[in-house]
Amino acid sequence: MTDRAAVILAAGHGTRMASPIPKVLHKVGGRALIDHAIDVAESLDAARIVVVLGAGAPQVSAHVAARLGAGAIAIQDPPLGTGHAVLAAKAALPGFQGEVVVMLADSALLTAEAVRPLFDLRAAGADVAVLGFHAADPVGYGRLIVTHGDRVVRIVEEREATAAERAVSACNSGVLAAPAPLLFELLGKVGRDNAKGEYYLTDVVGLAAKAGRSVRAAFAKEEVFQGVNSQAELAEAEAAFQRRRRLELMEAGVTLVAPQTVFLSWDTQLAPGVLVEPNVVFAPGVKVAPGAVIRSFSHLEGALVRGGAIVGPYARLRPGADIGEDAHIGNFVEVKKVKVGAGAKANHLTYLGDGSVGAGANIGAGTIFCNYDGFDKYETHVGEGAFIGSNTALVAPVSVGAGAYTGSG
Ligand code: UD1
Ligand code: CA
């Protein structure tokens, strides 16, 4: 752990999402935007993380408190701009003398790798380090006014920019790093005499430069700063996230026959040598071991698929499904909270919920584990090598011994 604190700004209203769900609880890759931001802060070895929230966001507060504890939350009430938001975090960092890295909460594609060059600049003597990017279309962003390559003189917001400044393609990402005492001192001097009547965090850059401090910029790819402000941008961020995760998995040796039709979650683990056919959805919590094949039109969530197993086509694995080595789960088979032993087969039209299937067992078509009587749930256990005839309703709680045979119906 370093002497570093991350301050994540999330007190904005997210009005353009037009949704009763707070913006930062919307998900990309099955993970809330606020959690993506916290993931990055954690990867940056921040000893302290402070999330700045608005007063009217109880759902977000509860979400953040559940992960980081209530002490990680600073309330900005009312929200008067990004500079004002960072000042709101000061009370949550009493006496902190280390380095603060400020991040915005609405960029799901931001990575720790993109942020780390800021710390190199700081180590090389910069008082304030800001992260920028060159935008294909810079409209709406603050522009970095730079001299001598990477020396930043000030940041000008779109609304205050002159025509010449608007032609600048170097944009402010919103991420910056500075020592806490300097940052809070400069923020104390920021006013709100601007187009939005807000305290701009970006004004600290001009103030620092004027005071003779060294302000330097590092640049990263525009893609990592793609912000989410509307439902359409959320979908764009999701698409970009999917492209990135598919490429990462393919580079790591996973075969995706039609990558653009495979949907992944932030935590999907597919081992090298896994084959995924077209049109498969991996909801969160899935791990697939080497040599397994996931066939078309399958939906997996919270499931483990062991080596050599074949799942699908048209299979549904729900949380707690544990599919053993070389086992087969076929078409229209649903598995929930069941451990399926090595080499077992359930190939057609079956529900396996709550219990276990022993190694080498054969589950006939149309078998149902009747796990719920309308009040409580019960388990079904099928022993190793057992044979369940087609169209069998196993009314739980029930056990079938190893090697046993049941007739059809
Ligand atoms: C900001 C930057 C701009 C940069 C852009 C990058 C300022 C003044 N401008 O502009 O230079 O190019 O981000 O995307 O900093 N927030 C609060 N409290 C507030 C206001 C905002 O917590 O009072 C949070 C929001 O929830 C959001 C983030 O700060 O996560 C950015 O706020 P937003 O209003 O979207 O800033 P931009 O206008 O996009
Ligand atoms: Ca924004």
Side-chain angles (χ1 to χ4, degrees), residues 22-51:
K23 170 158 96 172
V24 295
L25 294 187
H26 283 75
K27 290 176 180 175
V28 166
R31 189 156 181 78
L33 293 173
I34 188 68
D35 285 316
H36 283 286
I38 295 170
D39 290 345
V40 172
E42 286 183 343
S43 312
L44 293 173
D45 289 331
R48 291 286 320 268
I49 298 176
V50 179
V51 182

PDB file of all heavy atoms in Angstrom, residues 22-51:
ATOM      1  N   PRO A  22     -30.119   5.146 -10.276  1.00  0.00           N
ATOM      2  CA  PRO A  22     -28.985   6.079 -10.320  1.00  0.00           C
ATOM      3  C   PRO A  22     -27.969   5.661 -11.389  1.00  0.00           C
ATOM      4  O   PRO A  22     -27.719   4.471 -11.583  1.00  0.00           O
ATOM      5  CB  PRO A  22     -28.371   5.977  -8.925  1.00  0.00           C
ATOM      6  CG  PRO A  22     -29.445   5.418  -8.054  1.00  0.00           C
ATOM      7  CD  PRO A  22     -30.304   4.554  -8.939  1.00  0.00           C
ATOM      8  N   LYS A  23     -27.376   6.670 -12.053  1.00  0.00           N
ATOM      9  CA  LYS A  23     -26.470   6.382 -13.174  1.00  0.00           C
ATOM     10  C   LYS A  23     -25.386   5.376 -12.818  1.00  0.00           C
ATOM     11  O   LYS A  23     -25.156   4.414 -13.555  1.00  0.00           O
ATOM     12  CB  LYS A  23     -25.818   7.682 -13.657  1.00  0.00           C
ATOM     13  CG  LYS A  23     -24.691   7.445 -14.660  1.00  0.00           C
ATOM     14  CD  LYS A  23     -24.408   8.635 -15.508  1.00  0.00           C
ATOM     15  CE  LYS A  23     -23.287   9.466 -14.979  1.00  0.00           C
ATOM     16  NZ  LYS A  23     -22.906  10.534 -15.936  1.00  0.00           N
ATOM     17  N   VAL A  24     -24.708   5.593 -11.675  1.00  0.00           N
ATOM     18  CA  VAL A  24     -23.531   4.766 -11.398  1.00  0.00           C
ATOM     19  C   VAL A  24     -23.891   3.349 -10.960  1.00  0.00           C
ATOM     20  O   VAL A  24     -23.012   2.517 -10.755  1.00  0.00           O
ATOM     21  CB  VAL A  24     -22.589   5.425 -10.365  1.00  0.00           C
ATOM     22  CG1 VAL A  24     -22.001   6.704 -10.934  1.00  0.00           C
ATOM     23  CG2 VAL A  24     -23.279   5.652  -9.034  1.00  0.00           C
ATOM     24  N   LEU A  25     -25.214   3.056 -10.815  1.00  0.00           N
ATOM     25  CA  LEU A  25     -25.598   1.666 -10.554  1.00  0.00           C
ATOM     26  C   LEU A  25     -25.956   0.936 -11.842  1.00  0.00           C
ATOM     27  O   LEU A  25     -26.224  -0.270 -11.833  1.00  0.00           O
ATOM     28  CB  LEU A  25     -26.773   1.602  -9.562  1.00  0.00           C
ATOM     29  CG  LEU A  25     -26.456   2.091  -8.146  1.00  0.00           C
ATOM     30  CD1 LEU A  25     -27.634   1.831  -7.219  1.00  0.00           C
ATOM     31  CD2 LEU A  25     -25.193   1.434  -7.583  1.00  0.00           C
ATOM     32  N   HIS A  26     -25.959   1.653 -12.958  1.00  0.00           N
ATOM     33  CA  HIS A  26     -26.134   0.960 -14.243  1.00  0.00           C
ATOM     34  C   HIS A  26     -24.896   0.098 -14.481  1.00  0.00           C
ATOM     35  O   HIS A  26     -23.797   0.434 -14.034  1.00  0.00           O
ATOM     36  CB  HIS A  26     -26.309   1.965 -15.383  1.00  0.00           C
ATOM     37  CG  HIS A  26     -27.687   2.569 -15.414  1.00  0.00           C
ATOM     38  ND1 HIS A  26     -28.091   3.522 -14.531  1.00  0.00           N
ATOM     39  CD2 HIS A  26     -28.750   2.319 -16.227  1.00  0.00           C
ATOM     40  CE1 HIS A  26     -29.353   3.855 -14.779  1.00  0.00           C
ATOM     41  NE2 HIS A  26     -29.781   3.133 -15.809  1.00  0.00           N
ATOM     42  N   LYS A  27     -25.098  -1.006 -15.196  1.00  0.00           N
ATOM     43  CA  LYS A  27     -24.023  -1.986 -15.313  1.00  0.00           C
ATOM     44  C   LYS A  27     -23.412  -2.044 -16.703  1.00  0.00           C
ATOM     45  O   LYS A  27     -24.108  -1.914 -17.700  1.00  0.00           O
ATOM     46  CB  LYS A  27     -24.562  -3.371 -14.965  1.00  0.00           C
ATOM     47  CG  LYS A  27     -24.877  -3.508 -13.492  1.00  0.00           C
ATOM     48  CD  LYS A  27     -25.498  -4.836 -13.180  1.00  0.00           C
ATOM     49  CE  LYS A  27     -25.780  -4.919 -11.686  1.00  0.00           C
ATOM     50  NZ  LYS A  27     -26.495  -6.139 -11.345  1.00  0.00           N
ATOM     51  N   VAL A  28     -22.116  -2.293 -16.719  1.00  0.00           N
ATOM     52  CA  VAL A  28     -21.400  -2.640 -17.955  1.00  0.00           C
ATOM     53  C   VAL A  28     -20.682  -3.949 -17.657  1.00  0.00           C
ATOM     54  O   VAL A  28     -20.042  -4.082 -16.611  1.00  0.00           O
ATOM     55  CB  VAL A  28     -20.403  -1.527 -18.355  1.00  0.00           C
ATOM     56  CG1 VAL A  28     -19.429  -2.020 -19.412  1.00  0.00           C
ATOM     57  CG2 VAL A  28     -21.156  -0.303 -18.866  1.00  0.00           C
ATOM     58  N   GLY A  29     -20.845  -4.927 -18.532  1.00  0.00           N
ATOM     59  CA  GLY A  29     -20.238  -6.235 -18.284  1.00  0.00           C
ATOM     60  C   GLY A  29     -20.750  -6.852 -16.986  1.00  0.00           C
ATOM     61  O   GLY A  29     -20.026  -7.569 -16.310  1.00  0.00           O
ATOM     62  N   GLY A  30     -22.003  -6.558 -16.645  1.00  0.00           N
ATOM     63  CA  GLY A  30     -22.596  -7.145 -15.448  1.00  0.00           C
ATOM     64  C   GLY A  30     -22.110  -6.524 -14.145  1.00  0.00           C
ATOM     65  O   GLY A  30     -22.389  -7.062 -13.068  1.00  0.00           O
ATOM     66  N   ARG A  31     -21.393  -5.389 -14.200  1.00  0.00           N
ATOM     67  CA  ARG A  31     -20.855  -4.756 -12.988  1.00  0.00           C
ATOM     68  C   ARG A  31     -21.214  -3.282 -12.980  1.00  0.00           C
ATOM     69  O   ARG A  31     -21.054  -2.605 -14.006  1.00  0.00           O
ATOM     70  CB  ARG A  31     -19.339  -4.921 -12.968  1.00  0.00           C
ATOM     71  CG  ARG A  31     -18.673  -4.499 -11.652  1.00  0.00           C
ATOM     72  CD  ARG A  31     -17.380  -5.242 -11.545  1.00  0.00           C
ATOM     73  NE  ARG A  31     -16.598  -5.010 -10.360  1.00  0.00           N
ATOM     74  CZ  ARG A  31     -16.830  -5.536  -9.148  1.00  0.00           C
ATOM     75  NH1 ARG A  31     -17.887  -6.271  -8.962  1.00  0.00           N
ATOM     76  NH2 ARG A  31     -15.994  -5.336  -8.149  1.00  0.00           N
ATOM     77  N   ALA A  32     -21.663  -2.784 -11.813  1.00  0.00           N
ATOM     78  CA  ALA A  32     -22.073  -1.380 -11.714  1.00  0.00           C
ATOM     79  C   ALA A  32     -20.913  -0.452 -12.044  1.00  0.00           C
ATOM     80  O   ALA A  32     -19.758  -0.741 -11.703  1.00  0.00           O
ATOM     81  CB  ALA A  32     -22.599  -1.096 -10.311  1.00  0.00           C
ATOM     82  N   LEU A  33     -21.232   0.683 -12.692  1.00  0.00           N
ATOM     83  CA  LEU A  33     -20.197   1.665 -13.049  1.00  0.00           C
ATOM     84  C   LEU A  33     -19.360   2.050 -11.833  1.00  0.00           C
ATOM     85  O   LEU A  33     -18.136   2.143 -11.912  1.00  0.00           O
ATOM     86  CB  LEU A  33     -20.850   2.922 -13.641  1.00  0.00           C
ATOM     87  CG  LEU A  33     -21.549   2.744 -14.989  1.00  0.00           C
ATOM     88  CD1 LEU A  33     -22.287   4.021 -15.368  1.00  0.00           C
ATOM     89  CD2 LEU A  33     -20.547   2.367 -16.071  1.00  0.00           C
ATOM     90  N   ILE A  34     -20.016   2.252 -10.687  1.00  0.00           N
ATOM     91  CA  ILE A  34     -19.269   2.670  -9.499  1.00  0.00           C
ATOM     92  C   ILE A  34     -18.272   1.582  -9.076  1.00  0.00           C
ATOM     93  O   ILE A  34     -17.166   1.882  -8.612  1.00  0.00           O
ATOM     94  CB  ILE A  34     -20.231   3.043  -8.331  1.00  0.00           C
ATOM     95  CG1 ILE A  34     -19.477   3.670  -7.167  1.00  0.00           C
ATOM     96  CG2 ILE A  34     -21.049   1.860  -7.843  1.00  0.00           C
ATOM     97  CD1 ILE A  34     -18.905   5.016  -7.447  1.00  0.00           C
ATOM     98  N   ASP A  35     -18.634   0.324  -9.281  1.00  0.00           N
ATOM     99  CA  ASP A  35     -17.700  -0.755  -8.923  1.00  0.00           C
ATOM    100  C   ASP A  35     -16.514  -0.827  -9.878  1.00  0.00           C
ATOM    101  O   ASP A  35     -15.401  -1.158  -9.467  1.00  0.00           O
ATOM    102  CB  ASP A  35     -18.435  -2.104  -8.864  1.00  0.00           C
ATOM    103  CG  ASP A  35     -19.275  -2.211  -7.599  1.00  0.00           C
ATOM    104  OD1 ASP A  35     -18.772  -1.837  -6.525  1.00  0.00           O
ATOM    105  OD2 ASP A  35     -20.431  -2.647  -7.686  1.00  0.00           O
ATOM    106  N   HIS A  36     -16.763  -0.522 -11.170  1.00  0.00           N
ATOM    107  CA  HIS A  36     -15.623  -0.444 -12.101  1.00  0.00           C
ATOM    108  C   HIS A  36     -14.628   0.611 -11.613  1.00  0.00           C
ATOM    109  O   HIS A  36     -13.418   0.391 -11.611  1.00  0.00           O
ATOM    110  CB  HIS A  36     -16.088  -0.079 -13.512  1.00  0.00           C
ATOM    111  CG  HIS A  36     -16.704  -1.219 -14.267  1.00  0.00           C
ATOM    112  ND1 HIS A  36     -15.963  -2.249 -14.780  1.00  0.00           N
ATOM    113  CD2 HIS A  36     -17.989  -1.495 -14.605  1.00  0.00           C
ATOM    114  CE1 HIS A  36     -16.763  -3.113 -15.407  1.00  0.00           C
ATOM    115  NE2 HIS A  36     -18.004  -2.678 -15.312  1.00  0.00           N
ATOM    116  N   ALA A  37     -15.147   1.780 -11.187  1.00  0.00           N
ATOM    117  CA  ALA A  37     -14.260   2.856 -10.721  1.00  0.00           C
ATOM    118  C   ALA A  37     -13.500   2.421  -9.465  1.00  0.00           C
ATOM    119  O   ALA A  37     -12.293   2.659  -9.338  1.00  0.00           O
ATOM    120  CB  ALA A  37     -15.064   4.123 -10.454  1.00  0.00           C
ATOM    121  N   ILE A  38     -14.207   1.771  -8.547  1.00  0.00           N
ATOM    122  CA  ILE A  38     -13.552   1.310  -7.310  1.00  0.00           C
ATOM    123  C   ILE A  38     -12.503   0.233  -7.634  1.00  0.00           C
ATOM    124  O   ILE A  38     -11.426   0.203  -7.042  1.00  0.00           O
ATOM    125  CB  ILE A  38     -14.596   0.803  -6.286  1.00  0.00           C
ATOM    126  CG1 ILE A  38     -15.499   1.971  -5.838  1.00  0.00           C
ATOM    127  CG2 ILE A  38     -13.916   0.168  -5.078  1.00  0.00           C
ATOM    128  CD1 ILE A  38     -16.714   1.546  -5.015  1.00  0.00           C
ATOM    129  N   ASP A  39     -12.800  -0.625  -8.609  1.00  0.00           N
ATOM    130  CA  ASP A  39     -11.812  -1.640  -9.028  1.00  0.00           C
ATOM    131  C   ASP A  39     -10.509  -0.967  -9.466  1.00  0.00           C
ATOM    132  O   ASP A  39      -9.419  -1.414  -9.112  1.00  0.00           O
ATOM    133  CB  ASP A  39     -12.328  -2.462 -10.222  1.00  0.00           C
ATOM    134  CG  ASP A  39     -13.472  -3.391  -9.848  1.00  0.00           C
ATOM    135  OD1 ASP A  39     -13.686  -3.621  -8.646  1.00  0.00           O
ATOM    136  OD2 ASP A  39     -14.153  -3.877 -10.777  1.00  0.00           O
ATOM    137  N   VAL A  40     -10.639   0.104 -10.269  1.00  0.00           N
ATOM    138  CA  VAL A  40      -9.434   0.796 -10.751  1.00  0.00           C
ATOM    139  C   VAL A  40      -8.684   1.386  -9.566  1.00  0.00           C
ATOM    140  O   VAL A  40      -7.464   1.230  -9.438  1.00  0.00           O
ATOM    141  CB  VAL A  40      -9.784   1.889 -11.784  1.00  0.00           C
ATOM    142  CG1 VAL A  40      -8.545   2.718 -12.132  1.00  0.00           C
ATOM    143  CG2 VAL A  40     -10.369   1.256 -13.049  1.00  0.00           C
ATOM    144  N   ALA A  41      -9.422   2.053  -8.651  1.00  0.00           N
ATOM    145  CA  ALA A  41      -8.777   2.660  -7.473  1.00  0.00           C
ATOM    146  C   ALA A  41      -8.032   1.592  -6.678  1.00  0.00           C
ATOM    147  O   ALA A  41      -6.904   1.811  -6.227  1.00  0.00           O
ATOM    148  CB  ALA A  41      -9.823   3.354  -6.608  1.00  0.00           C
ATOM    149  N   GLU A  42      -8.638   0.424  -6.520  1.00  0.00           N
ATOM    150  CA  GLU A  42      -7.974  -0.646  -5.762  1.00  0.00           C
ATOM    151  C   GLU A  42      -6.717  -1.125  -6.484  1.00  0.00           C
ATOM    152  O   GLU A  42      -5.700  -1.400  -5.849  1.00  0.00           O
ATOM    153  CB  GLU A  42      -8.952  -1.801  -5.501  1.00  0.00           C
ATOM    154  CG  GLU A  42      -9.972  -1.432  -4.421  1.00  0.00           C
ATOM    155  CD  GLU A  42     -10.930  -2.562  -4.058  1.00  0.00           C
ATOM    156  OE1 GLU A  42     -11.031  -3.530  -4.835  1.00  0.00           O
ATOM    157  OE2 GLU A  42     -11.581  -2.443  -2.999  1.00  0.00           O
ATOM    158  N   SER A  43      -6.792  -1.206  -7.827  1.00  0.00           N
ATOM    159  CA  SER A  43      -5.601  -1.638  -8.576  1.00  0.00           C
ATOM    160  C   SER A  43      -4.487  -0.613  -8.504  1.00  0.00           C
ATOM    161  O   SER A  43      -3.340  -0.921  -8.813  1.00  0.00           O
ATOM    162  CB  SER A  43      -5.908  -1.861 -10.053  1.00  0.00           C
ATOM    163  OG  SER A  43      -7.049  -2.620 -10.206  1.00  0.00           O
ATOM    164  N   LEU A  44      -4.828   0.626  -8.155  1.00  0.00           N
ATOM    165  CA  LEU A  44      -3.802   1.675  -8.049  1.00  0.00           C
ATOM    166  C   LEU A  44      -3.182   1.693  -6.660  1.00  0.00           C
ATOM    167  O   LEU A  44      -2.469   2.642  -6.308  1.00  0.00           O
ATOM    168  CB  LEU A  44      -4.424   3.045  -8.359  1.00  0.00           C
ATOM    169  CG  LEU A  44      -4.891   3.235  -9.800  1.00  0.00           C
ATOM    170  CD1 LEU A  44      -5.639   4.550  -9.949  1.00  0.00           C
ATOM    171  CD2 LEU A  44      -3.721   3.189 -10.767  1.00  0.00           C
ATOM    172  N   ASP A  45      -3.478   0.666  -5.856  1.00  0.00           N
ATOM    173  CA  ASP A  45      -2.917   0.579  -4.506  1.00  0.00           C
ATOM    174  C   ASP A  45      -3.285   1.779  -3.643  1.00  0.00           C
ATOM    175  O   ASP A  45      -2.456   2.251  -2.860  1.00  0.00           O
ATOM    176  CB  ASP A  45      -1.379   0.477  -4.543  1.00  0.00           C
ATOM    177  CG  ASP A  45      -0.947  -0.877  -5.056  1.00  0.00           C
ATOM    178  OD1 ASP A  45      -1.700  -1.839  -4.864  1.00  0.00           O
ATOM    179  OD2 ASP A  45       0.135  -0.953  -5.656  1.00  0.00           O
ATOM    180  N   ALA A  46      -4.488   2.293  -3.815  1.00  0.00           N
ATOM    181  CA  ALA A  46      -4.907   3.414  -2.975  1.00  0.00           C
ATOM    182  C   ALA A  46      -5.184   2.881  -1.562  1.00  0.00           C
ATOM    183  O   ALA A  46      -5.972   1.962  -1.384  1.00  0.00           O
ATOM    184  CB  ALA A  46      -6.150   4.069  -3.555  1.00  0.00           C
ATOM    185  N   ALA A  47      -4.500   3.481  -0.598  1.00  0.00           N
ATOM    186  CA  ALA A  47      -4.695   3.040   0.790  1.00  0.00           C
ATOM    187  C   ALA A  47      -6.058   3.488   1.299  1.00  0.00           C
ATOM    188  O   ALA A  47      -6.637   2.866   2.181  1.00  0.00           O
ATOM    189  CB  ALA A  47      -3.589   3.611   1.673  1.00  0.00           C
ATOM    190  N   ARG A  48      -6.530   4.599   0.762  1.00  0.00           N
ATOM    191  CA  ARG A  48      -7.850   5.112   1.131  1.00  0.00           C
ATOM    192  C   ARG A  48      -8.640   5.366  -0.141  1.00  0.00           C
ATOM    193  O   ARG A  48      -8.091   5.867  -1.118  1.00  0.00           O
ATOM    194  CB  ARG A  48      -7.730   6.436   1.911  1.00  0.00           C
ATOM    195  CG  ARG A  48      -7.132   6.346   3.299  1.00  0.00           C
ATOM    196  CD  ARG A  48      -8.111   5.720   4.306  1.00  0.00           C
ATOM    197  NE  ARG A  48      -9.494   6.162   4.118  1.00  0.00           N
ATOM    198  CZ  ARG A  48     -10.040   7.205   4.731  1.00  0.00           C
ATOM    199  NH1 ARG A  48      -9.329   7.921   5.538  1.00  0.00           N
ATOM    200  NH2 ARG A  48     -11.306   7.517   4.512  1.00  0.00           N
ATOM    201  N   ILE A  49      -9.930   5.042  -0.114  1.00  0.00           N
ATOM    202  CA  ILE A  49     -10.807   5.362  -1.239  1.00  0.00           C
ATOM    203  C   ILE A  49     -11.993   6.147  -0.684  1.00  0.00           C
ATOM    204  O   ILE A  49     -12.615   5.725   0.291  1.00  0.00           O
ATOM    205  CB  ILE A  49     -11.306   4.080  -1.951  1.00  0.00           C
ATOM    206  CG1 ILE A  49     -10.118   3.304  -2.524  1.00  0.00           C
ATOM    207  CG2 ILE A  49     -12.309   4.433  -3.055  1.00  0.00           C
ATOM    208  CD1 ILE A  49     -10.481   1.977  -3.165  1.00  0.00           C
ATOM    209  N   VAL A  50     -12.242   7.307  -1.268  1.00  0.00           N
ATOM    210  CA  VAL A  50     -13.389   8.114  -0.848  1.00  0.00           C
ATOM    211  C   VAL A  50     -14.299   8.286  -2.064  1.00  0.00           C
ATOM    212  O   VAL A  50     -13.837   8.686  -3.138  1.00  0.00           O
ATOM    213  CB  VAL A  50     -12.950   9.498  -0.329  1.00  0.00           C
ATOM    214  CG1 VAL A  50     -14.171  10.328   0.078  1.00  0.00           C
ATOM    215  CG2 VAL A  50     -11.986   9.348   0.844  1.00  0.00           C
ATOM    216  N   VAL A  51     -15.566   7.956  -1.902  1.00  0.00           N
ATOM    217  CA  VAL A  51     -16.533   8.129  -2.980  1.00  0.00           C
ATOM    218  C   VAL A  51     -17.436   9.306  -2.605  1.00  0.00           C
ATOM    219  O   VAL A  51     -18.046   9.307  -1.536  1.00  0.00           O
ATOM    220  CB  VAL A  51     -17.372   6.850  -3.175  1.00  0.00           C
ATOM    221  CG1 VAL A  51     -18.346   7.026  -4.335  1.00  0.00           C
ATOM    222  CG2 VAL A  51     -16.465   5.643  -3.435  1.00  0.00           C
TER     223      VAL A  51
END
